[in-house]
Amino acid sequence: MNCFSTRFFPYKQRPQNDFVTVEDYLANEELSDIRHEYLGGLVYAMAGTTRDHNQISQNIAFGLREKLKGGPCKLYISDIRVNFKLREDEYYYYPDIIVTCDPRDTDKRFIRYPKLIVEVSSPGTERIDRREKFLTYTNIESLEEYILIPQTNAEITAFRRANNWRVEKFSEENIRVESLQVTMDRTVIYEGI
């Protein structure tokens, strides 16, 4: 991720430390062609994705959506932000997959009460997904599960609140999404890759 430049985020006056208010971030994000994440006052442009990343995200979304039909849970992919506070700072991330089952989630632009977050990791994002996002996401009170899916047909990682966020790894087998009580078929996840 690169720091947001004034070329894409047109502020009249920007403080020396590049601090951006939430209001400015939300207003300017609506005008931008590039998605940006907001981390406690700092704004970062998001890198583009690969075709494999996009295919895996779609496979997961289609597979989960079919299993969630008719229930209270809603699934969103990549263009919807998750919003939360950590200490006194506000964060807005764009996860690859978000599932919310909370009736309080009524904002059209972001989710505040996610139950499940899935990130599709690339070699360039894996460290951020495993460290930074893990540390921030697991502070969201409603989150029950955080799953990392690598772009290569490798080890899938799940972190679950019920297991005190301990890592669970899945190398060959399908993965059970405990928070939704469904199983994701590994061949479906990687179909077309």
Side-chain angles (χ1 to χ4, degrees):
M1 286 193 260
N2 298 321
C3 194
F4 204 55
S5 75
T6 55
R7 187 178 81 174
F8 298 113
F9 211 56
Y11 292 109
K12 291 184 176 142
Q13 292 183 321
R14 292 189 45 154
Q16 291 284 4
N17 65 1
D18 290 334
F19 179 83
V20 176
T21 67
V22 170
E23 295 77 19
D24 281 346
Y25 164 72
L26 292 173
N28 286 288
E29 189 72 353
E30 297 297 320
L31 304 173
S32 179
D33 293 336
I34 300 170
R35 294 181 309 161
H36 301 84
E37 294 183 323
Y38 181 90
L39 310 167
L42 300 176
V43 178
Y44 296 90
M46 294 185 62
T49 63
T50 64
R51 290 172 54 173
D52 286 350
H53 182 281
N54 188 276
Q55 184 67 59
I56 293 167
S57 297
Q58 286 183 54
N59 292 345
I60 295 165
F62 293 151
L64 286 178
R65 186 175 180 275
E66 193 60 35
K67 294 175 183 187
L68 296 175
K69 263 188 188 172
C73 298
K74 303 289 185 212
L75 180 143
Y76 301 93
I77 62 173
S78 66
D79 287 333
I80 300 296
R81 289 164 285 200
V82 64
N83 168 239
F84 57 95
K85 283 192 173 185
L86 182 58
R87 292 179 210 91
E88 296 302 313
D89 292 326
E90 200 154 352
Y91 288 76
Y92 288 85
Y93 280 109
Y94 284 95
D96 293 312
I97 310 270
I98 311 171
V99 175
T100 181
C101 306
D102 197 306
R104 295 175 292 175
D105 262 324
T106 57
D107 195 287
K108 299 286 184 201
R109 301 167 297 165
F110 46 82
I111 301 298
R112 285 202 169 112
Y113 306 100
K115 185 172 193 157
L116 168 70
I117 292 177
V118 178
E119 292 283 8
V120 178
S121 292
S122 69
T125 64
E126 185 174 7
R127 196 170 86 190
I128 291 168
D129 293 340
R130 285 189 181 279
R131 286 181 169 174
E132 175 190 310
K133 289 186 177 181
F134 170 79
L135 291 171
T136 55
Y137 286 162
T138 55
N139 280 284
I140 302 172
E141 288 184 27
S142 63
L143 188 70
E144 294 179 21
E145 201 161 19
Y146 176 44
I147 298 175
L148 296 174
I149 310 281
Q151 286 186 38
T152 58
N153 192 349
E155 198 169 68
I156 295 172
T157 307
F159 302 94
R160 297 184 174 107
R161 183 177 298 278
N163 291 342
N164 294 317
W165 301 115
R166 281 185 303 221
V167 66
E168 294 178 52
K169 297 182 178 187
F170 302 86
S171 296
E172 301 290 329
E173 63 272 38
N174 297 333
I175 181 167
R176 179 81 177 152
V177 182
E178 294 293 340
S179 60
L180 303 176
Q181 297 298 301
V182 300
T183 299
M184 286 195 300
D185 186 322
R186 185 181 201 81
T187 60
V188 171
I189 292 171
Y190 290 104
E191 186 179 348
I193 304 301

